[in-house]
PDB file of all heavy atoms in Angstrom:
ATOM      1  N   ASN A   1     -10.864 -22.380   5.044  1.00  0.00           N
ATOM      2  CA  ASN A   1     -10.960 -20.932   5.190  1.00  0.00           C
ATOM      3  C   ASN A   1      -9.786 -20.428   6.021  1.00  0.00           C
ATOM      4  O   ASN A   1      -9.193 -19.399   5.626  1.00  0.00           O
ATOM      5  CB  ASN A   1     -12.278 -20.568   5.924  1.00  0.00           C
ATOM      6  CG  ASN A   1     -12.356 -19.119   6.234  1.00  0.00           C
ATOM      7  OD1 ASN A   1     -12.452 -18.283   5.335  1.00  0.00           O
ATOM      8  ND2 ASN A   1     -12.288 -18.720   7.504  1.00  0.00           N
ATOM      9  N   ALA A   2      -9.430 -21.090   7.117  1.00  0.00           N
ATOM     10  CA  ALA A   2      -8.312 -20.614   7.945  1.00  0.00           C
ATOM     11  C   ALA A   2      -7.014 -20.638   7.164  1.00  0.00           C
ATOM     12  O   ALA A   2      -6.205 -19.713   7.285  1.00  0.00           O
ATOM     13  CB  ALA A   2      -8.258 -21.509   9.201  1.00  0.00           C
ATOM     14  N   VAL A   3      -6.812 -21.681   6.379  1.00  0.00           N
ATOM     15  CA  VAL A   3      -5.578 -21.799   5.577  1.00  0.00           C
ATOM     16  C   VAL A   3      -5.518 -20.718   4.511  1.00  0.00           C
ATOM     17  O   VAL A   3      -4.484 -20.092   4.297  1.00  0.00           O
ATOM     18  CB  VAL A   3      -5.478 -23.185   4.956  1.00  0.00           C
ATOM     19  CG1 VAL A   3      -4.351 -23.254   3.923  1.00  0.00           C
ATOM     20  CG2 VAL A   3      -5.256 -24.263   6.017  1.00  0.00           C
ATOM     21  N   PHE A   4      -6.648 -20.455   3.879  1.00  0.00           N
ATOM     22  CA  PHE A   4      -6.680 -19.502   2.780  1.00  0.00           C
ATOM     23  C   PHE A   4      -6.413 -18.080   3.280  1.00  0.00           C
ATOM     24  O   PHE A   4      -5.594 -17.345   2.660  1.00  0.00           O
ATOM     25  CB  PHE A   4      -8.033 -19.563   2.044  1.00  0.00           C
ATOM     26  CG  PHE A   4      -8.126 -18.580   0.914  1.00  0.00           C
ATOM     27  CD1 PHE A   4      -7.397 -18.786  -0.261  1.00  0.00           C
ATOM     28  CD2 PHE A   4      -8.883 -17.438   1.030  1.00  0.00           C
ATOM     29  CE1 PHE A   4      -7.464 -17.864  -1.298  1.00  0.00           C
ATOM     30  CE2 PHE A   4      -8.945 -16.545   0.002  1.00  0.00           C
ATOM     31  CZ  PHE A   4      -8.239 -16.732  -1.176  1.00  0.00           C
ATOM     32  N   VAL A   5      -7.079 -17.636   4.316  1.00  0.00           N
ATOM     33  CA  VAL A   5      -6.912 -16.246   4.755  1.00  0.00           C
ATOM     34  C   VAL A   5      -5.464 -16.020   5.195  1.00  0.00           C
ATOM     35  O   VAL A   5      -4.893 -14.890   5.016  1.00  0.00           O
ATOM     36  CB  VAL A   5      -7.896 -15.854   5.891  1.00  0.00           C
ATOM     37  CG1 VAL A   5      -9.335 -15.927   5.399  1.00  0.00           C
ATOM     38  CG2 VAL A   5      -7.701 -16.708   7.138  1.00  0.00           C
ATOM     39  N   LYS A   6      -4.847 -17.049   5.727  1.00  0.00           N
ATOM     40  CA  LYS A   6      -3.439 -16.920   6.119  1.00  0.00           C
ATOM     41  C   LYS A   6      -2.523 -16.877   4.833  1.00  0.00           C
ATOM     42  O   LYS A   6      -1.544 -16.117   4.809  1.00  0.00           O
ATOM     43  CB  LYS A   6      -3.033 -18.098   7.028  1.00  0.00           C
ATOM     44  CG  LYS A   6      -1.624 -17.967   7.573  1.00  0.00           C
ATOM     45  CD  LYS A   6      -1.292 -19.118   8.554  1.00  0.00           C
ATOM     46  CE  LYS A   6       0.110 -18.961   9.099  1.00  0.00           C
ATOM     47  NZ  LYS A   6       0.420 -20.056  10.077  1.00  0.00           N
ATOM     48  N   SER A   7      -2.851 -17.718   3.886  1.00  0.00           N
ATOM     49  CA  SER A   7      -1.992 -17.841   2.695  1.00  0.00           C
ATOM     50  C   SER A   7      -1.944 -16.530   1.882  1.00  0.00           C
ATOM     51  O   SER A   7      -0.921 -16.250   1.267  1.00  0.00           O
ATOM     52  CB  SER A   7      -2.470 -18.971   1.807  1.00  0.00           C
ATOM     53  OG  SER A   7      -3.694 -18.671   1.161  1.00  0.00           O
ATOM     54  N   ILE A   8      -3.016 -15.779   1.899  1.00  0.00           N
ATOM     55  CA  ILE A   8      -3.020 -14.532   1.098  1.00  0.00           C
ATOM     56  C   ILE A   8      -2.689 -13.319   1.962  1.00  0.00           C
ATOM     57  O   ILE A   8      -2.718 -12.172   1.451  1.00  0.00           O
ATOM     58  CB  ILE A   8      -4.353 -14.302   0.370  1.00  0.00           C
ATOM     59  CG1 ILE A   8      -5.499 -14.095   1.344  1.00  0.00           C
ATOM     60  CG2 ILE A   8      -4.652 -15.457  -0.590  1.00  0.00           C
ATOM     61  CD1 ILE A   8      -6.760 -13.550   0.697  1.00  0.00           C
ATOM     62  N   ASP A   9      -2.418 -13.545   3.231  1.00  0.00           N
ATOM     63  CA  ASP A   9      -2.184 -12.403   4.193  1.00  0.00           C
ATOM     64  C   ASP A   9      -3.340 -11.449   4.123  1.00  0.00           C
ATOM     65  O   ASP A   9      -3.212 -10.239   3.864  1.00  0.00           O
ATOM     66  CB  ASP A   9      -0.858 -11.703   3.819  1.00  0.00           C
ATOM     67  CG  ASP A   9      -0.413 -10.718   4.917  1.00  0.00           C
ATOM     68  OD1 ASP A   9      -0.869 -10.877   6.059  1.00  0.00           O
ATOM     69  OD2 ASP A   9       0.351  -9.808   4.622  1.00  0.00           O
ATOM     70  N   ASP A  10      -4.504 -11.946   4.445  1.00  0.00           N
ATOM     71  CA  ASP A  10      -5.793 -11.229   4.339  1.00  0.00           C
ATOM     72  C   ASP A  10      -5.755  -9.909   5.096  1.00  0.00           C
ATOM     73  O   ASP A  10      -5.627  -9.862   6.292  1.00  0.00           O
ATOM     74  CB  ASP A  10      -6.915 -12.146   4.916  1.00  0.00           C
ATOM     75  CG  ASP A  10      -8.308 -11.624   4.656  1.00  0.00           C
ATOM     76  OD1 ASP A  10      -8.541 -10.410   4.783  1.00  0.00           O
ATOM     77  OD2 ASP A  10      -9.167 -12.447   4.304  1.00  0.00           O
ATOM     78  N   LEU A  11      -5.851  -8.777   4.313  1.00  0.00           N
ATOM     79  CA  LEU A  11      -5.727  -7.452   4.921  1.00  0.00           C
ATOM     80  C   LEU A  11      -7.013  -6.988   5.595  1.00  0.00           C
ATOM     81  O   LEU A  11      -7.038  -5.946   6.228  1.00  0.00           O
ATOM     82  CB  LEU A  11      -5.381  -6.444   3.833  1.00  0.00           C
ATOM     83  CG  LEU A  11      -3.971  -6.645   3.221  1.00  0.00           C
ATOM     84  CD1 LEU A  11      -3.759  -5.667   2.084  1.00  0.00           C
ATOM     85  CD2 LEU A  11      -2.877  -6.484   4.279  1.00  0.00           C
ATOM     86  N   GLY A  12      -8.071  -7.799   5.501  1.00  0.00           N
ATOM     87  CA  GLY A  12      -9.296  -7.483   6.215  1.00  0.00           C
ATOM     88  C   GLY A  12      -9.156  -7.629   7.724  1.00  0.00           C
ATOM     89  O   GLY A  12     -10.026  -7.161   8.476  1.00  0.00           O
ATOM     90  N   PHE A  13      -8.080  -8.253   8.142  1.00  0.00           N
ATOM     91  CA  PHE A  13      -7.842  -8.436   9.613  1.00  0.00           C
ATOM     92  C   PHE A  13      -7.057  -7.273  10.190  1.00  0.00           C
ATOM     93  O   PHE A  13      -6.702  -7.276  11.366  1.00  0.00           O
ATOM     94  CB  PHE A  13      -7.114  -9.768   9.870  1.00  0.00           C
ATOM     95  CG  PHE A  13      -7.951 -10.941   9.602  1.00  0.00           C
ATOM     96  CD1 PHE A  13      -8.046 -11.489   8.333  1.00  0.00           C
ATOM     97  CD2 PHE A  13      -8.706 -11.522  10.627  1.00  0.00           C
ATOM     98  CE1 PHE A  13      -8.885 -12.613   8.072  1.00  0.00           C
ATOM     99  CE2 PHE A  13      -9.507 -12.630  10.382  1.00  0.00           C
ATOM    100  CZ  PHE A  13      -9.617 -13.172   9.108  1.00  0.00           C
ATOM    101  N   ILE A  14      -6.771  -6.296   9.340  1.00  0.00           N
ATOM    102  CA  ILE A  14      -6.097  -5.036   9.790  1.00  0.00           C
ATOM    103  C   ILE A  14      -7.155  -3.964   9.955  1.00  0.00           C
ATOM    104  O   ILE A  14      -7.972  -3.720   9.058  1.00  0.00           O
ATOM    105  CB  ILE A  14      -5.014  -4.592   8.826  1.00  0.00           C
ATOM    106  CG1 ILE A  14      -3.953  -5.643   8.646  1.00  0.00           C
ATOM    107  CG2 ILE A  14      -4.390  -3.263   9.224  1.00  0.00           C
ATOM    108  CD1 ILE A  14      -2.861  -5.326   7.629  1.00  0.00           C
ATOM    109  N   ASN A  15      -7.144  -3.259  11.078  1.00  0.00           N
ATOM    110  CA  ASN A  15      -8.020  -2.094  11.263  1.00  0.00           C
ATOM    111  C   ASN A  15      -7.862  -1.128  10.110  1.00  0.00           C
ATOM    112  O   ASN A  15      -6.731  -0.858   9.657  1.00  0.00           O
ATOM    113  CB  ASN A  15      -7.653  -1.427  12.584  1.00  0.00           C
ATOM    114  CG  ASN A  15      -8.443  -0.161  12.809  1.00  0.00           C
ATOM    115  OD1 ASN A  15      -8.146   0.910  12.225  1.00  0.00           O
ATOM    116  ND2 ASN A  15      -9.426  -0.236  13.659  1.00  0.00           N
ATOM    117  N   GLU A  16      -8.969  -0.603   9.570  1.00  0.00           N
ATOM    118  CA  GLU A  16      -8.871   0.200   8.356  1.00  0.00           C
ATOM    119  C   GLU A  16      -8.033   1.438   8.531  1.00  0.00           C
ATOM    120  O   GLU A  16      -7.271   1.801   7.560  1.00  0.00           O
ATOM    121  CB  GLU A  16     -10.260   0.578   7.838  1.00  0.00           C
ATOM    122  CG  GLU A  16     -10.212   1.201   6.434  1.00  0.00           C
ATOM    123  CD  GLU A  16     -11.549   1.412   5.831  1.00  0.00           C
ATOM    124  OE1 GLU A  16     -12.580   1.406   6.526  1.00  0.00           O
ATOM    125  OE2 GLU A  16     -11.602   1.651   4.588  1.00  0.00           O
ATOM    126  N   LYS A  17      -8.058   2.057   9.659  1.00  0.00           N
ATOM    127  CA  LYS A  17      -7.203   3.207   9.836  1.00  0.00           C
ATOM    128  C   LYS A  17      -5.706   2.835   9.766  1.00  0.00           C
ATOM    129  O   LYS A  17      -4.878   3.594   9.289  1.00  0.00           O
ATOM    130  CB  LYS A  17      -7.558   3.917  11.159  1.00  0.00           C
ATOM    131  CG  LYS A  17      -8.915   4.613  11.146  1.00  0.00           C
ATOM    132  CD  LYS A  17      -9.218   5.314  12.444  1.00  0.00           C
ATOM    133  CE  LYS A  17     -10.604   5.970  12.397  1.00  0.00           C
ATOM    134  NZ  LYS A  17     -10.961   6.665  13.664  1.00  0.00           N
ATOM    135  N   GLU A  18      -5.394   1.654  10.317  1.00  0.00           N
ATOM    136  CA  GLU A  18      -4.026   1.161  10.235  1.00  0.00           C
ATOM    137  C   GLU A  18      -3.667   0.794   8.787  1.00  0.00           C
ATOM    138  O   GLU A  18      -2.525   1.006   8.336  1.00  0.00           O
ATOM    139  CB  GLU A  18      -3.837  -0.075  11.153  1.00  0.00           C
ATOM    140  CG  GLU A  18      -4.018   0.235  12.615  1.00  0.00           C
ATOM    141  CD  GLU A  18      -3.933  -0.992  13.502  1.00  0.00           C
ATOM    142  OE1 GLU A  18      -3.765  -2.096  12.942  1.00  0.00           O
ATOM    143  OE2 GLU A  18      -4.073  -0.857  14.707  1.00  0.00           O
ATOM    144  N   LEU A  19      -4.652   0.255   8.080  1.00  0.00           N
ATOM    145  CA  LEU A  19      -4.423  -0.046   6.656  1.00  0.00           C
ATOM    146  C   LEU A  19      -4.171   1.228   5.846  1.00  0.00           C
ATOM    147  O   LEU A  19      -3.257   1.259   4.986  1.00  0.00           O
ATOM    148  CB  LEU A  19      -5.667  -0.767   6.085  1.00  0.00           C
ATOM    149  CG  LEU A  19      -5.537  -1.264   4.639  1.00  0.00           C
ATOM    150  CD1 LEU A  19      -4.466  -2.356   4.538  1.00  0.00           C
ATOM    151  CD2 LEU A  19      -6.895  -1.773   4.154  1.00  0.00           C
ATOM    152  N   ILE A  20      -4.912   2.264   6.132  1.00  0.00           N
ATOM    153  CA  ILE A  20      -4.666   3.560   5.446  1.00  0.00           C
ATOM    154  C   ILE A  20      -3.261   4.080   5.736  1.00  0.00           C
ATOM    155  O   ILE A  20      -2.551   4.525   4.856  1.00  0.00           O
ATOM    156  CB  ILE A  20      -5.751   4.629   5.854  1.00  0.00           C
ATOM    157  CG1 ILE A  20      -7.124   4.175   5.362  1.00  0.00           C
ATOM    158  CG2 ILE A  20      -5.411   5.989   5.270  1.00  0.00           C
ATOM    159  CD1 ILE A  20      -8.273   5.025   5.897  1.00  0.00           C
ATOM    160  N   GLU A  21      -2.876   3.956   6.988  1.00  0.00           N
ATOM    161  CA  GLU A  21      -1.530   4.401   7.354  1.00  0.00           C
ATOM    162  C   GLU A  21      -0.451   3.596   6.618  1.00  0.00           C
ATOM    163  O   GLU A  21       0.598   4.096   6.222  1.00  0.00           O
ATOM    164  CB  GLU A  21      -1.352   4.244   8.888  1.00  0.00           C
ATOM    165  CG  GLU A  21       0.031   4.729   9.418  1.00  0.00           C
ATOM    166  CD  GLU A  21       0.267   6.227   9.225  1.00  0.00           C
ATOM    167  OE1 GLU A  21      -0.678   6.989   9.092  1.00  0.00           O
ATOM    168  OE2 GLU A  21       1.469   6.616   9.282  1.00  0.00           O
ATOM    169  N   LYS A  22      -0.733   2.301   6.402  1.00  0.00           N
ATOM    170  CA  LYS A  22       0.192   1.454   5.684  1.00  0.00           C
ATOM    171  C   LYS A  22       0.311   1.895   4.216  1.00  0.00           C
ATOM    172  O   LYS A  22       1.387   1.904   3.667  1.00  0.00           O
ATOM    173  CB  LYS A  22      -0.340  -0.021   5.755  1.00  0.00           C
ATOM    174  CG  LYS A  22       0.384  -1.034   4.886  1.00  0.00           C
ATOM    175  CD  LYS A  22      -0.319  -2.377   4.993  1.00  0.00           C
ATOM    176  CE  LYS A  22       0.181  -3.407   4.006  1.00  0.00           C
ATOM    177  NZ  LYS A  22       1.557  -3.912   4.406  1.00  0.00           N
ATOM    178  N   PHE A  23      -0.836   2.254   3.630  1.00  0.00           N
ATOM    179  CA  PHE A  23      -0.881   2.710   2.261  1.00  0.00           C
ATOM    180  C   PHE A  23      -0.396   4.168   2.102  1.00  0.00           C
ATOM    181  O   PHE A  23       0.372   4.488   1.192  1.00  0.00           O
ATOM    182  CB  PHE A  23      -2.276   2.613   1.670  1.00  0.00           C
ATOM    183  CG  PHE A  23      -2.746   1.175   1.413  1.00  0.00           C
ATOM    184  CD1 PHE A  23      -4.069   0.878   1.382  1.00  0.00           C
ATOM    185  CD2 PHE A  23      -1.803   0.132   1.220  1.00  0.00           C
ATOM    186  CE1 PHE A  23      -4.530  -0.421   1.154  1.00  0.00           C
ATOM    187  CE2 PHE A  23      -2.222  -1.151   0.962  1.00  0.00           C
ATOM    188  CZ  PHE A  23      -3.626  -1.422   0.926  1.00  0.00           C
ATOM    189  N   TRP A  24      -0.934   5.047   2.966  1.00  0.00           N
ATOM    190  CA  TRP A  24      -0.694   6.464   2.855  1.00  0.00           C
ATOM    191  C   TRP A  24      -0.117   6.971   4.175  1.00  0.00           C
ATOM    192  O   TRP A  24      -0.841   7.404   5.062  1.00  0.00           O
ATOM    193  CB  TRP A  24      -1.970   7.257   2.567  1.00  0.00           C
ATOM    194  CG  TRP A  24      -2.508   7.092   1.172  1.00  0.00           C
ATOM    195  CD1 TRP A  24      -2.253   6.111   0.279  1.00  0.00           C
ATOM    196  CD2 TRP A  24      -3.496   7.986   0.576  1.00  0.00           C
ATOM    197  NE1 TRP A  24      -3.010   6.320  -0.864  1.00  0.00           N
ATOM    198  CE2 TRP A  24      -3.770   7.453  -0.723  1.00  0.00           C
ATOM    199  CE3 TRP A  24      -4.137   9.171   0.979  1.00  0.00           C
ATOM    200  CZ2 TRP A  24      -4.641   8.052  -1.588  1.00  0.00           C
ATOM    201  CZ3 TRP A  24      -4.995   9.769   0.117  1.00  0.00           C
ATOM    202  CH2 TRP A  24      -5.228   9.251  -1.168  1.00  0.00           C
ATOM    203  N   PRO A  25       1.160   6.834   4.413  1.00  0.00           N
ATOM    204  CA  PRO A  25       1.754   7.273   5.704  1.00  0.00           C
ATOM    205  C   PRO A  25       1.392   8.704   6.069  1.00  0.00           C
ATOM    206  O   PRO A  25       1.421   9.619   5.218  1.00  0.00           O
ATOM    207  CB  PRO A  25       3.251   7.147   5.462  1.00  0.00           C
ATOM    208  CG  PRO A  25       3.404   6.116   4.369  1.00  0.00           C
ATOM    209  CD  PRO A  25       2.180   6.303   3.489  1.00  0.00           C
ATOM    210  N   ASN A  26       0.915   8.882   7.284  1.00  0.00           N
ATOM    211  CA  ASN A  26       0.446  10.179   7.764  1.00  0.00           C
ATOM    212  C   ASN A  26      -0.741  10.717   6.982  1.00  0.00           C
ATOM    213  O   ASN A  26      -0.968  11.905   6.948  1.00  0.00           O
ATOM    214  CB  ASN A  26       1.603  11.196   7.787  1.00  0.00           C
ATOM    215  CG  ASN A  26       2.726  10.772   8.697  1.00  0.00           C
ATOM    216  OD1 ASN A  26       2.516  10.303   9.822  1.00  0.00           O
ATOM    217  ND2 ASN A  26       3.960  10.888   8.190  1.00  0.00           N
ATOM    218  N   GLY A  27      -1.470   9.823   6.332  1.00  0.00           N
ATOM    219  CA  GLY A  27      -2.592  10.215   5.548  1.00  0.00           C
ATOM    220  C   GLY A  27      -2.296  10.950   4.279  1.00  0.00           C
ATOM    221  O   GLY A  27      -3.166  11.550   3.638  1.00  0.00           O
ATOM    222  N   ILE A  28      -1.048  10.853   3.807  1.00  0.00           N
ATOM    223  CA  ILE A  28      -0.605  11.550   2.598  1.00  0.00           C
ATOM    224  C   ILE A  28      -0.352  10.517   1.489  1.00  0.00           C
ATOM    225  O   ILE A  28       0.405   9.546   1.694  1.00  0.00           O
ATOM    226  CB  ILE A  28       0.673  12.390   2.858  1.00  0.00           C
ATOM    227  CG1 ILE A  28       0.377  13.418   3.948  1.00  0.00           C
ATOM    228  CG2 ILE A  28       1.144  13.013   1.565  1.00  0.00           C
ATOM    229  CD1 ILE A  28       1.634  14.142   4.381  1.00  0.00           C
ATOM    230  N   GLN A  29      -0.982  10.726   0.346  1.00  0.00           N
ATOM    231  CA  GLN A  29      -0.795   9.776  -0.744  1.00  0.00           C
ATOM    232  C   GLN A  29       0.616   9.872  -1.263  1.00  0.00           C
ATOM    233  O   GLN A  29       1.152  10.959  -1.552  1.00  0.00           O
ATOM    234  CB  GLN A  29      -1.767  10.073  -1.884  1.00  0.00           C
ATOM    235  CG  GLN A  29      -1.710   9.088  -3.057  1.00  0.00           C
ATOM    236  CD  GLN A  29      -2.788   9.329  -4.106  1.00  0.00           C
ATOM    237  OE1 GLN A  29      -3.320  10.408  -4.168  1.00  0.00           O
ATOM    238  NE2 GLN A  29      -3.018   8.346  -4.907  1.00  0.00           N
ATOM    239  N   PRO A  30       1.286   8.691  -1.423  1.00  0.00           N
ATOM    240  CA  PRO A  30       2.630   8.725  -2.008  1.00  0.00           C
ATOM    241  C   PRO A  30       2.641   9.209  -3.424  1.00  0.00           C
ATOM    242  O   PRO A  30       1.663   9.037  -4.140  1.00  0.00           O
ATOM    243  CB  PRO A  30       3.093   7.257  -1.885  1.00  0.00           C
ATOM    244  CG  PRO A  30       1.835   6.455  -1.757  1.00  0.00           C
ATOM    245  CD  PRO A  30       0.839   7.339  -1.089  1.00  0.00           C
ATOM    246  N   GLN A  31       3.755   9.811  -3.836  1.00  0.00           N
ATOM    247  CA  GLN A  31       3.863  10.406  -5.152  1.00  0.00           C
ATOM    248  C   GLN A  31       4.854   9.612  -5.989  1.00  0.00           C
ATOM    249  O   GLN A  31       5.914   9.250  -5.546  1.00  0.00           O
ATOM    250  CB  GLN A  31       4.385  11.834  -4.986  1.00  0.00           C
ATOM    251  CG  GLN A  31       4.726  12.567  -6.286  1.00  0.00           C
ATOM    252  CD  GLN A  31       3.513  13.116  -6.966  1.00  0.00           C
ATOM    253  OE1 GLN A  31       2.679  13.792  -6.367  1.00  0.00           O
ATOM    254  NE2 GLN A  31       3.417  12.859  -8.264  1.00  0.00           N
ATOM    255  N   THR A  32       4.463   9.289  -7.219  1.00  0.00           N
ATOM    256  CA  THR A  32       5.363   8.672  -8.131  1.00  0.00           C
ATOM    257  C   THR A  32       6.472   9.659  -8.509  1.00  0.00           C
ATOM    258  O   THR A  32       6.208  10.809  -8.826  1.00  0.00           O
ATOM    259  CB  THR A  32       4.638   8.201  -9.438  1.00  0.00           C
ATOM    260  OG1 THR A  32       3.479   7.491  -9.084  1.00  0.00           O
ATOM    261  CG2 THR A  32       5.568   7.395 -10.285  1.00  0.00           C
ATOM    262  N   GLU A  33       7.725   9.177  -8.452  1.00  0.00           N
ATOM    263  CA  GLU A  33       8.853  10.034  -8.789  1.00  0.00           C
ATOM    264  C   GLU A  33       8.799  10.507 -10.229  1.00  0.00           C
ATOM    265  O   GLU A  33       8.259   9.795 -11.099  1.00  0.00           O
ATOM    266  CB  GLU A  33      10.174   9.326  -8.534  1.00  0.00           C
ATOM    267  CG  GLU A  33      10.424   8.969  -7.091  1.00  0.00           C
ATOM    268  CD  GLU A  33      10.797  10.219  -6.240  1.00  0.00           C
ATOM    269  OE1 GLU A  33      11.221  11.215  -6.826  1.00  0.00           O
ATOM    270  OE2 GLU A  33      10.631  10.128  -5.027  1.00  0.00           O
ATOM    271  N   GLN A  34       9.374  11.678 -10.472  1.00  0.00           N
ATOM    272  CA  GLN A  34       9.473  12.177 -11.825  1.00  0.00           C
ATOM    273  C   GLN A  34      10.312  11.246 -12.707  1.00  0.00           C
ATOM    274  O   GLN A  34      11.393  10.791 -12.240  1.00  0.00           O
ATOM    275  CB  GLN A  34      10.080  13.574 -11.831  1.00  0.00           C
ATOM    276  CG  GLN A  34       9.156  14.683 -11.353  1.00  0.00           C
ATOM    277  CD  GLN A  34       8.004  14.864 -12.357  1.00  0.00           C
ATOM    278  OE1 GLN A  34       6.893  14.388 -12.082  1.00  0.00           O
ATOM    279  NE2 GLN A  34       8.256  15.528 -13.425  1.00  0.00           N
ATOM    280  N   PRO A  35       9.879  10.962 -13.906  1.00  0.00           N
ATOM    281  CA  PRO A  35      10.719  10.167 -14.777  1.00  0.00           C
ATOM    282  C   PRO A  35      11.986  10.862 -15.201  1.00  0.00           C
ATOM    283  O   PRO A  35      12.033  12.113 -15.290  1.00  0.00           O
ATOM    284  CB  PRO A  35       9.805   9.890 -16.006  1.00  0.00           C
ATOM    285  CG  PRO A  35       8.816  11.074 -15.960  1.00  0.00           C
ATOM    286  CD  PRO A  35       8.645  11.424 -14.536  1.00  0.00           C
ATOM    287  N   ILE A  36      13.007  10.111 -15.474  1.00  0.00           N
ATOM    288  CA  ILE A  36      14.311  10.659 -15.894  1.00  0.00           C
ATOM    289  C   ILE A  36      14.502  10.327 -17.345  1.00  0.00           C
ATOM    290  O   ILE A  36      14.415   9.147 -17.758  1.00  0.00           O
ATOM    291  CB  ILE A  36      15.455  10.047 -15.064  1.00  0.00           C
ATOM    292  CG1 ILE A  36      15.239  10.348 -13.565  1.00  0.00           C
ATOM    293  CG2 ILE A  36      16.825  10.547 -15.583  1.00  0.00           C
ATOM    294  CD1 ILE A  36      16.174   9.536 -12.657  1.00  0.00           C
ATOM    295  N   ILE A  37      14.709  11.328 -18.188  1.00  0.00           N
ATOM    296  CA  ILE A  37      14.820  11.129 -19.646  1.00  0.00           C
ATOM    297  C   ILE A  37      16.277  11.396 -20.049  1.00  0.00           C
ATOM    298  O   ILE A  37      16.844  12.446 -19.679  1.00  0.00           O
ATOM    299  CB  ILE A  37      13.877  12.098 -20.399  1.00  0.00           C
ATOM    300  CG1 ILE A  37      12.422  11.967 -19.907  1.00  0.00           C
ATOM    301  CG2 ILE A  37      13.959  11.860 -21.908  1.00  0.00           C
ATOM    302  CD1 ILE A  37      11.511  13.030 -20.434  1.00  0.00           C
ATOM    303  N   ASP A  38      16.829  10.478 -20.790  1.00  0.00           N
ATOM    304  CA  ASP A  38      18.238  10.652 -21.269  1.00  0.00           C
ATOM    305  C   ASP A  38      18.227  10.417 -22.776  1.00  0.00           C
ATOM    306  O   ASP A  38      17.659   9.411 -23.270  1.00  0.00           O
ATOM    307  CB  ASP A  38      19.144   9.632 -20.622  1.00  0.00           C
ATOM    308  CG  ASP A  38      20.579   9.810 -21.075  1.00  0.00           C
ATOM    309  OD1 ASP A  38      21.243  10.785 -20.722  1.00  0.00           O
ATOM    310  OD2 ASP A  38      21.042   8.912 -21.845  1.00  0.00           O
ATOM    311  N   ILE A  39      18.843  11.342 -23.509  1.00  0.00           N
ATOM    312  CA  ILE A  39      18.939  11.248 -24.946  1.00  0.00           C
ATOM    313  C   ILE A  39      20.431  11.311 -25.284  1.00  0.00           C
ATOM    314  O   ILE A  39      21.113  12.300 -24.992  1.00  0.00           O
ATOM    315  CB  ILE A  39      18.197  12.368 -25.671  1.00  0.00           C
ATOM    316  CG1 ILE A  39      16.734  12.436 -25.207  1.00  0.00           C
ATOM    317  CG2 ILE A  39      18.244  12.185 -27.209  1.00  0.00           C
ATOM    318  CD1 ILE A  39      15.977  13.601 -25.703  1.00  0.00           C
ATOM    319  N   ASP A  40      20.976  10.239 -25.912  1.00  0.00           N
ATOM    320  CA  ASP A  40      22.378  10.197 -26.181  1.00  0.00           C
ATOM    321  C   ASP A  40      22.720  10.888 -27.520  1.00  0.00           C
ATOM    322  O   ASP A  40      21.832  11.418 -28.225  1.00  0.00           O
ATOM    323  CB  ASP A  40      22.940   8.749 -26.129  1.00  0.00           C
ATOM    324  CG  ASP A  40      22.450   7.881 -27.280  1.00  0.00           C
ATOM    325  OD1 ASP A  40      21.926   8.404 -28.265  1.00  0.00           O
ATOM    326  OD2 ASP A  40      22.634   6.667 -27.173  1.00  0.00           O
TER     327      ASP A  40
END
């Protein structure tokens, strides 16, 4: 068990509010950039 949780970098050991900050900085969901279309 000890080896496994370390091997996958188990995120359950991070406080959930800190985890949210990791995913959504300042509580704001990141936005996928607009696609760029090029026609030659």
Side-chain angles (χ1 to χ4, degrees):
N1 176 68
V3 169
F4 179 73
V5 297
K6 185 176 181 180
S7 71
I8 65 166
D9 191 20
D10 190 317
L11 294 175
F13 291 87
I14 298 177
N15 176 282
E16 190 172 15
K17 291 182 181 179
E18 295 175 1
L19 184 66
I20 294 171
E21 181 66 22
K22 172 184 171 74
F23 288 156
W24 288 20
N26 299 315
I28 300 172
Q29 184 175 18
Q31 173 80 49
T32 309
E33 295 288 338
Q34 285 293 101
I36 301 168
I37 306 171
D38 181 72
I39 306 174
D40 70 13

